[in-house]
Amino acid sequence: MLDTARAQTGAEVAPSPATQKKPVAPAHPRRASANGTRLEEVTVTARRRTERIERTPISMTTVTGTQFAERGITSIAKIQNLAPNISFGNVAASSGVANAAAIFIRGIGQTDFSFGVDPGVGMYVDGVYVGSPVGSVLNMVDISSVSVLRGPQGTLFGRNTIGGAVAVTSLQPNDHLSARADVKYGTANRIDTRAFVNVPLSSTLFANFSVGSFMQDGYVNAPYQKDERKLGSQDTRVFKGALRWHPIDKLNVVLRGDWTRDRSNGAPFVTTGVNPTATGSMIALNNALAGGTLTNCTAAACYNSRYFSKNTNYGTGPDYSNLVNWSTSGTIDYELTPWLDLKSITAYRKSEGQFTQDRDASPVNINFVKDFYMEKQFSEEFQANGRALNNRLHYSTGVYYFDQSGYDINPVNFYVLSLLSGGDFRDRNYAAYAQSTYAVTRKFNVTVGVRYTEDNKSFLPNQYYISSIGAPILSIPPGTRIVPERWYHNNNARWTPMVNLSYQVTPELMAYTTFSQGFKGGGFTQRLTNIAPSPPSFRPESVNSFEGGLKFYGLDHRLRVSAAGFFTFYDNVQLLVADATHIGPYYTNAGKAHISGFELESQYALGDGWTASGSVGLTDAHYTSLTNSVQGLTLDSMFVLVSKWTANLGLSKRIDMGRYGVLTPRVDAVYRSRYNANVNAIMYNELIQPKYILVNLGARWASESGRYNFSAGLDNATNEKFMAWGSYSGSFGNYQKSFDRGRQWFIQGGVSF
């Protein structure tokens, strides 16, 4: 887990394991020099000990809660606008769920929440791995920091993560009575309200509590939905609490709990057209029976251009997304000796919901899906972190257990048949890991690590045909099983090592190089339509990653620069695809790939209150060999949701107005090169999102005491209507797209003490 101390904003964050045993007061901005001519120091515990970020040989980005607040950001997904080589999408392509994270780092990730496959990027909240993407697009209520760690993360993390990790840290209870609240109003009746209070209950017991409500009308017209409600709305409630007990200096215990209810009118998607080559699709069959063709049909029963739009969904089946999740965790940190800390993290999480989607976005019954979903997880992690040999050796070891179970039952109605898909799942993961750093000299460090992972997945399909269109087109007896109803198993185990060398060239400049391996277990295809003796399974995927980097912090503490280059060998790529051989999407090992690129990040205190920050990232991902399991995938196919180039640039000016407070206007620009938006992998020109630039404008005022603040902003000022995701299946023939809402304005007022 990674904790940030004071960044440029001086935000309060959770303390590191080395310091959290004592009551922690809120951190305040430290004025390094007049007019902000120096950057604040940033310390992290990415390697389980406190280090300055420029002395940590890892490619990483950390954004504090205050930095999010300065930009008016309330969703964790916006981290993709502040860090290079990351895509953080909210994808509802294979179901109607309106909150499902699809995260890619350096080209590696996943687009589906299916139990049959693990996420390619791990999300950790206060040290706890979140096993399902459902409900993982978090709203910011008491967030201290969000960190992006790039590349395989296994020798210091509970769960094996092949592409990288997003680590979220909540505010820690401390011994100062404090509170804050804010209200935001904006586009489409957006009303966000948040409140946070920290209370010392005694000299050894501290608590905090936060609550949030996030409301906004939808933006995709849906004339046939109940009350003509628009799709893409938000209706979320969040409650969080933490209790910290510190009876003696050596012992620190933190208990956390949260509850979230997320309701939406449905994911904001439309149909923009049909593929004229999909002559064997269900839409083509529907139009043929109506007396027309795929692209030329005018009868009342036809599926044609009257249902194509970029802002209106004509579906008559209900579209909605209802989700409730809650979690609790307990962290015990005990200083056994001055040189050894022991730590335990115990956690439980449960999510339950129903989602529906009329995927053809029309009154014609072509493709309607529904999910009854439940997931629960239990995890336990024990850590030992210490140092020896006069502090020349730092080490960390741990063991980890993860148990995830649940069900995803999918009643679906297609033009030619209806069936029940899905089933019950269970995933048990056991791991042990160790990492140590030895200071060969005062400047040269060697770090080695190793991890052993055993991953056991089980699937109980409950899948059978309900009805079919009938002869001569398709006639299947009702109740016919698609696969036998019994438990199927997919078990894998792997050793993955890591080696890192770092050298402090000068007091301001460090160089490092890293070799690491990553591994992700195999699994099953959940959504089946073709009769088979067993559910299709796929093998584990793995990476061999090579990285080299430089970190600089100098010019009298005014300039911080980090640069990293990487090359990754990616084997047995697990891919979600949809082609004409299957009605629904399925998983397969597509082949091998190479991914190369770099990240460059910088912060510069220009003086006189001016601060500039920015980054640029290159991800050059391409397949080197393919299996014959996918039709339409070629060596030239682009990776899903991965831009070759990402960049951002921010400029702010602090204007000190004395007793009238401080005004900070800022402008931020975000660039993403074109990408393949089809979450089902195969490239179609219709689903390629061209490059775009977002410009966000804002200004924040704070009173002289810091008690009151007011903000105003304009996000996506140029009104770019880019495609967040798309979907296409040859069995149906229509292009499904979800566009960004576009330009949004907001005003926000807050108070704190």
Side-chain angles (χ1 to χ4, degrees), residues 64-191:
T64 68
T66 300
Q67 289 171 324
F68 282 114
E70 288 177 342
R71 295 166 171 83
I73 294 174
T74 55
S75 171
I76 190 177
K78 298 301 182 181
I79 189 70
Q80 73 168 4
N81 294 340
L82 304 174
N85 286 342
I86 178 174
S87 171
F88 196 127
N90 188 1
V91 172
S94 296
S95 72
V97 61
N99 187 320
I103 312 173
F104 288 77
I105 295 177
R106 290 181 174 176
I108 298 175
Q110 277 297 343
T111 60
D112 190 19
F113 69 85
S114 168
F115 284 127
V117 64
D118 293 328
V121 172
M123 177 175 285
Y124 295 81
V125 179
D126 297 314
V128 177
Y129 174 77
V130 179
S132 173
V134 173
S136 294
V137 185
L138 304 178
N139 293 285
M140 296 193 172
V141 178
D142 68 340
I143 301 299
S144 172
S145 67
V146 179
S147 298
V148 178
L149 288 82
R150 291 175 280 269
Q153 306 290 325
T155 59
L156 282 178
F157 276 78
R159 188 67 190 265
N160 49 304
T161 50
I162 188 172
V166 175
V168 180
T169 304
S170 303
L171 294 171
Q172 188 92 286
N174 58 62
D175 62 350
H176 283 230
L177 177 64
S178 61
R180 66 169 182 256
D182 58 47
V183 178
K184 174 186 287 187
Y185 181 77
T187 300
N189 292 317
R190 178 180 184 179
I191 303 176

Side-chain angles (χ1 to χ4, degrees), residues 421-591:
S421 187
D424 291 32
F425 286 83
R426 183 157 193 177
D427 181 9
R428 286 181 174 172
N429 185 281
Y430 310 85
Y433 58 86
Q435 181 172 306
S436 63
T437 299
Y438 181 70
V440 180
T441 70
R442 292 175 62 89
K443 294 185 176 182
F444 180 51
N445 292 330
V446 177
T447 301
V448 295
V450 66
R451 176 190 185 86
Y452 176 75
T453 303
E454 184 175 313
D455 190 71
N456 304 319
K457 286 188 175 64
S458 300
F459 177 33
L460 175 64
N462 182 18
Q463 309 197 5
Y464 54 88
Y465 296 104
I466 298 173
S467 64
S468 58
I469 195 172
I473 298 172
L474 181 67
S475 180
I476 302 176
T480 300
R481 286 278 169 185
I482 299 175
V483 293
E485 186 180 14
R486 65 177 182 83
W487 282 101
Y488 299 87
H489 306 282
N490 193 326
N491 301 332
N492 306 276
R494 189 72 58 90
W495 290 90
T496 50
M498 184 277 290
V499 179
N500 173 277
L501 307 176
S502 64
Y503 187 76
Q504 197 68 38
V505 181
T506 70
E508 295 83 15
L509 178 65
M510 182 193 70
Y512 70 91
T513 183
T514 303
F515 165 75
S516 58
Q517 286 187 344
F519 154 78
K520 188 172 75 168
F524 299 94
T525 292
Q526 168 185 316
R527 306 172 185 92
L528 305 177
T529 54
N530 298 338
I531 295 176
S534 63
S537 62
F538 49 88
R539 301 184 302 278
E541 66 177 15
S542 62
V543 299
N544 289 295
S545 177
F546 299 84
E547 179 181 322
L550 297 170
K551 293 196 172 186
F552 175 84
Y553 183 43
L555 295 187
D556 193 23
H557 295 190
R558 294 172 57 200
L559 177 64
R560 180 181 288 118
V561 180
S562 63
F566 62 90
F567 192 93
T568 302
F569 294 91
Y570 194 7
D571 293 334
N572 285 324
V573 179
Q574 295 173 3
L575 201 63
L576 179 70
V577 295
D579 59 27
T581 64
H582 296 75
I583 293 180
Y586 66 97
Y587 278 97
T588 186
N589 295 106

